[in-house]
């Protein structure tokens, strides 16, 4: 709010029962909900086909019940997928998926029900694997992210790129890490070339891509 930046939220639907005040705040802020399964205690890629389809359907129905519609985007709990996941997502009305950290640009993926868009989600500049798994310090994470941003900004002259900053409240919410996040965000919004940056949510990327001529985005 302080920096007037947009957010999207990967939401386990169990939160609706466990802590309804959280989706209430997201709703009030006008941010985007993204499907993230029922709970992170499940890895959908390890389920059989019927169980996975049920998981996606039940999570989607919970969003429709509480938000009036299902989200356009999905990221599996633990970024877990099976070979059937994209097909099941199309069956349940999803338009894009964030599980594939394969490029810094969106690209179309084929499913049995038609194309679904892969929207970039960065693993490297993600506070959880960086600071909890790889044990980077808050200072190292701040330097990594700002350098990542600066390099992408210099490369985007030739082609548009997606800078995706993935955060977890229980990680970056620790005060000494939160100070680093504030430094990262101020570095971005005060950058001398900030006019080249479009601050947006994944759904806006999807809407933009669908309006481009065929062949501009890989897979189209």
């Amino acid at each position: 709010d302080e920096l007037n930046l947009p957010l999207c939220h990967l939401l386990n639907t169990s939160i609706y029962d466990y802590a309804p005040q959280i989706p209430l705040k997201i709703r009030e802020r006008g941010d985007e909900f993204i499907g993230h399964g029922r709970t992170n205690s499940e890895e959908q890629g390890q389920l059989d086909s019927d169980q996975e389809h049920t998981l996606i359907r039940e999570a989607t129905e919970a969003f429709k019940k509480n938000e009036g519609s299902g989200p356009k985007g999905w990221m599996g709990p633990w970024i877990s997928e099976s070979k059937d996941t994209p097909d099941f997502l199309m069956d349940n009305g999803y338009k894009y998926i964030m599980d594939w950290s394969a490029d810094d640009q969106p690209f179309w993926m084929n499913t049995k029900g038609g194309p679904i868009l892969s929207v970039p989600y960065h693993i490297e500049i993600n506070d959880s694997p960086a600071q909890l798994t790889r044990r980077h310090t808050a200072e190292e994470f701040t330097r990594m992210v700002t350098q990542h941003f600066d390099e992408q900004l210099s490369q985007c002259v030739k082609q548009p790129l997606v800078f995706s900053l993935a955060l977890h409240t229980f990680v970056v919410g620790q005060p000494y890490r939160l100070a680093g996040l504030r430094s990262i965000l101020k570095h971005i919004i005060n950058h001398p070339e900030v006019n080249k940056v479009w601050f947006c949510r994944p759904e806006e990327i999807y809407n933009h891509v669908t309006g481009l001529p065929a062949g501009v985005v890989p897979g189209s």
Side-chain angles (χ1 to χ4, degrees), residues 108 208-220:
W108 291 103
H208 175 72
V209 168
T210 56
L212 296 175
V216 171
V217 175
S220 62

Side-chain angles (χ1 to χ4, degrees), residues 106-110 115-117 213-220:
F107 59 88
W108 291 103
M109 299 173 63
N110 294 324
I116 190 168
L117 188 70
V216 171
V217 175
S220 62

Side-chain angles (χ1 to χ4, degrees), residues 5-12 16 22-23 25-27 29-36 63 71 73-75 96 98 121 167 169 201-202:
L5 291 172
L7 295 171
C8 69
H9 303 262
L10 311 181
L11 193 77
N12 301 133
Y16 283 119
I22 293 176
K25 290 295 184 181
I26 297 172
R27 204 176 300 127
R29 197 174 188 273
D31 287 332
E32 181 183 356
F33 289 89
I34 293 176
H36 197 46
F63 277 110
W74 176 274
M75 168 172 274
Y96 70 85
M98 299 179 71
Y121 176 90
L167 306 169
T169 52
R201 302 175 179 91

Side-chain angles (χ1 to χ4, degrees), residues 64-77:
K64 291 179 178 178
K65 176 183 176 181
N66 289 278
E67 306 303 330
S69 64
K72 285 188 176 180
W74 176 274
M75 168 172 274

Side-chain angles (χ1 to χ4, degrees), residues 7 14 116 168 170 218:
L7 295 171
S14 59
I116 190 168
H168 298 75
F170 62 90

Side-chain angles (χ1 to χ4, degrees), residues 39 42 51-52 59 67 70 84 114 119 162 182 191 209 211:
T39 167
E42 301 173 309
Q51 290 174 327
E52 183 184 11
E67 306 303 330
D84 299 314
V119 174
V162 175
R182 184 175 285 106
H191 197 282
V209 168

